[in-house]
């Protein structure tokens, strides 16, 4: 029999999306039992698709889109188009769009499965979260978002397995941001000298470790979103990332800076504050790290700076690595810990491609 066919639609082809396309091209070549047929690809600048859902060559999809793309259809039009495809459809959302995230329930109800690194839908309102999973059930579709926490590392799948095999998660703790990891590993190292806080932030930006606007990392929201996702998966009905304390590292006086350039040029005025925090940690024989934690028993969720013993796994982190520890009944005092690269196009795309395989296995 000829191999079965699955239609793939990709929205977003930036840092993660372009790496995903390379991985998809490899998979399409090496996957014998299923023919993966790209029928739709879009960026903010336009879309490429045809009314008969003809195959788009994955390897040349991006340059073809740039040369021959049409105007970007509305989200509603995209849903209609994909719901009418001749085969089962998997939508890959590689954007950080809130509008697309809000439409997940509609895609899912119409039978379109979704895989994505986009955190917005899963860390938005609790109502949207519930709507997504009930829509998937009623539409016979699936939704996976491994890369929304810890890039390609198996963080979400591990937590799901702990819960679904009857273990009891008591506490989740870790460093969830590649940017924050780099900043604190540099600013508060376990050995050796360190520069000033504002210099460290500038260096991280120059090396490409921060968002284009570093304030988007320093406000802690990225970490708060990831904790919201993990907390919900562990069973806490967290209302939103704004419903628990998140320590912003943007000095209050700079909250109203008009541009990131003004922010970066004035950050040094507040170096003393961070220096003082580091000094207090040092006096206690410790280092500073920016962490998030969820205490299941007390439902206490928090995000911010804390002091750690230099021998603690969180203190010993390198580069921009993430570390996530699950404390459970089964694992006892030594948590199940996952550590490794938590940011970057290729490793984040791997989580998305892995999700694609999970869906293929179940279709
Ligand atoms: P880009 O490079 O800005 O690309 C976005 C693409 O989406 C572009 O092609 C744009 O044209 C398209 N787009 C945007 N809005 C659209 C719309 N309405 N319709 C059609 N197309 C639209 O973004 P990235 O870096 O490729 O990220 C893509 C998604 O992956 C985002 O949701 C991001 O949050 C998520 N993600 C990225 C990373 C990463 O390393 N780049 C990670 C996780 C998730 O593990 C990573 C991480 O957490 C990094 C974090 N900053 C940290 O730990 O420090």
């Amino acid at each position: 029999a000829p191999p079965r066919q699955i239609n793939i639609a990709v929205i977003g082809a930036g840092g993660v999306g372009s790496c995903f396309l390379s991985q998809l091209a490899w998979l399409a070549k090496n996957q014998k039992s299923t023919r993966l047929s790209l029928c739709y690809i879009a960026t903010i600048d336009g879309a490429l698709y045809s009314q008969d859902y003809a195959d788009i060559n994955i390897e040349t999809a991006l340059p073809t889109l740039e040369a021959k793309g049409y105007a970007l259809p509305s989200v509603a039009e995209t849903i209609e188009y994909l719901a009418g495809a001749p085969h089962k459809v998997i939508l890959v959302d590689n954007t950080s769009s809130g509008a697309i995230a809000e439409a997940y329930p509609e895609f899912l109800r119409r039978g379109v499965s979704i895989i994505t690194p986009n955190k917005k839908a899963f860390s938005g309102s609790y109502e949207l979260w519930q709507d997504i999973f009930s829509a998937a059930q009623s539409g016979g579709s699936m939704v996976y978002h491994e890369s929304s926490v810890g890039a390609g590392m198996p963080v979400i799948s591990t937590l799901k397995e702990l819960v679904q095999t009857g273990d009891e998660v008591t506490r989740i703790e870790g460093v969830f941001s590649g940017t924050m990891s780099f900043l604190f590993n540099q600013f508060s190292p376990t050995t050796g000298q360190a520069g000033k806080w504002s210099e460290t932030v500038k260096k991280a930006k120059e090396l490409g470790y921060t968002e284009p606007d570093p304030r988007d990392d320093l406000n802690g929201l990225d970490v708060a979103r990831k904790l919201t996702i993990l907390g919900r998966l562990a069973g806490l009905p967290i209302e939103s990332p704004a419903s628990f304390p998140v320590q912003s590292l943007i000095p209050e006086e700079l909250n109203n800076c008009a541009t990131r350039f003004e922010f970066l040029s004035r950050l040094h005025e507040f170096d003393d504050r961070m220096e003082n925090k580091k000094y207090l940690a040092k006096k206690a024989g410790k280092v500073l790290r920016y962490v998030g934690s969820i205490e299941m028993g007390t439902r206490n969720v928090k995000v911010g700076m804390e002091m750690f013993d230099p021998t603690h796994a969180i203190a010993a982190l390198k580069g921009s690595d993430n570390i996530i520890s699950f404390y459970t009944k089964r694992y006892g005092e030594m948590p199940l810990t996952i550590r490794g690269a938590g940011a970057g196009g290729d490793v984040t795309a791997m989580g998305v491609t892995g999700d694609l395989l999970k869906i293929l296995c179940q279709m």
Side-chain angles (χ1 to χ4, degrees):
R4 63 162 182 178
Q5 193 163 323
I6 303 280
N7 282 131
I8 309 283
V10 176
I11 309 185
V16 176
S18 56
C19 292
F20 171 76
L21 282 170
S22 312
Q23 294 178 18
L24 180 65
W26 185 90
L27 196 66
K29 266 193 206 132
N30 290 280
Q31 174 85 21
K32 297 286 176 270
S33 58
T34 310
R35 225 173 74 73
L36 297 171
S37 158
L38 182 67
C39 70
Y40 180 93
I41 178 162
T43 67
I44 198 77
D45 300 318
L48 192 67
Y49 59 105
S50 63
Q51 287 312 322
D52 59 359
Y53 302 89
D55 255 19
I56 299 167
N57 182 320
I58 299 168
E59 269 156 47
T60 56
L62 267 188
T64 313
L65 168 62
E66 269 155 35
K68 294 193 204 156
Y70 313 111
L72 183 68
S74 69
V75 176
E77 286 165 339
T78 311
I79 293 171
E80 282 310 317
Y81 174 74
L82 294 180
H87 306 284
K88 289 204 167 150
V89 184
I90 301 172
L91 169 68
V92 191
D93 173 19
N94 289 319
T95 74
S96 55
S97 160
I100 297 172
E102 270 164 35
Y104 287 177
E106 196 50 29
F107 279 105
L108 292 161
R109 260 193 289 276
R110 301 289 297 273
V112 175
S113 292
I114 294 175
I115 56 178
T116 183
N118 184 351
K119 294 172 268 269
K120 294 264 165 74
F122 311 96
S123 59
S125 72
Y126 192 65
E127 197 185 340
L128 177 59
W129 167 270
Q130 286 175 308
D131 203 13
I132 285 171
F133 295 101
S134 64
Q137 216 152 33
S138 69
S141 46
M142 288 170 263
V143 54
Y144 283 96
H145 53 103
E146 183 61 78
S147 290
S148 61
V149 181
M153 291 194 289
V155 175
I156 288 179
S157 53
T158 300
L159 175 55
K160 279 189 187 168
E161 272 188 34
L162 287 169
V163 173
Q164 289 169 2
T165 57
D167 198 356
E168 192 186 317
V169 179
T170 53
R171 177 180 165 77
I172 303 172
E173 177 185 60
V175 171
F176 296 88
S177 153
T179 312
M180 291 292 199
S181 180
F182 178 82
L183 288 173
F184 282 88
N185 297 343
Q186 292 278 317
F187 177 67
S188 185
T190 48
T191 56
Q193 287 300 303
K196 293 210 167 72
W197 175 249
S198 60
E199 297 301 323
T200 314
V201 172
K202 277 183 198 152
K203 183 170 159 198
K205 175 157 171 50
E206 276 161 22
L207 290 170
Y209 287 128
T210 67
E211 296 289 322
D213 187 337
R215 289 176 294 185
D216 290 337
D217 295 300
L218 296 176
N219 65 15
L221 182 61
D222 179 68
V223 178
R225 284 187 185 284
K226 291 168 178 167
L227 282 193
T228 301
I229 295 172
L230 294 183
R232 286 172 175 177
L233 286 170
L236 289 186
I238 298 173
E239 189 40 52
S240 83
S243 59
F244 51 86
V246 177
Q247 182 181 24
S248 170
L249 299 185
I250 300 174
E252 225 168 85
E253 294 84 341
L254 298 184
N255 268 338
N256 296 322
C257 281
T259 66
R260 60 188 190 215
F261 306 107
E262 186 193 343
F263 171 75
L264 277 173
S265 72
R266 289 193 54 198
L267 187 59
H268 70 91
E269 295 168 28
F270 306 92
D271 275 344
D272 282 358
R273 290 185 199 168
M274 287 297 280
E275 208 56 49
N276 190 250
K277 295 225 163 68
K278 182 161 77 174
Y279 171 74
L280 290 176
K282 217 172 191 165
K283 248 177 54 176
K286 298 189 174 199
V287 295
L288 285 178
R289 292 292 179 264
Y290 193 89
V291 296
S293 63
I294 301 171
E295 202 72 60
M296 293 299 288
T298 57
R299 305 187 158 210
N300 195 6
V301 185
K302 60 181 198 293
V303 171
M305 277 190 289
E306 280 177 36
M307 297 194 277
F308 287 89
D309 202 88
T311 57
H312 195 288
I314 284 182
L317 225 49
K318 294 273 182 290
S320 60
D321 281 1
N322 284 186
I323 183 169
I324 292 121
S325 290
F326 295 110
Y327 290 82
T328 78
K329 279 259 156 70
R330 210 177 266 155
Y331 277 82
E333 265 169 38
M334 285 302 281
L336 190 171
T337 294
I338 301 168
R339 181 178 59 199
D346 254 325
V347 293
T348 305
M350 173 212 156
V352 182
T353 311
D355 284 346
L356 175 59
L357 287 174
K358 286 181 203 130
I359 291 192
L360 291 182
C361 288
Q362 294 172 75
M363 263 181 169

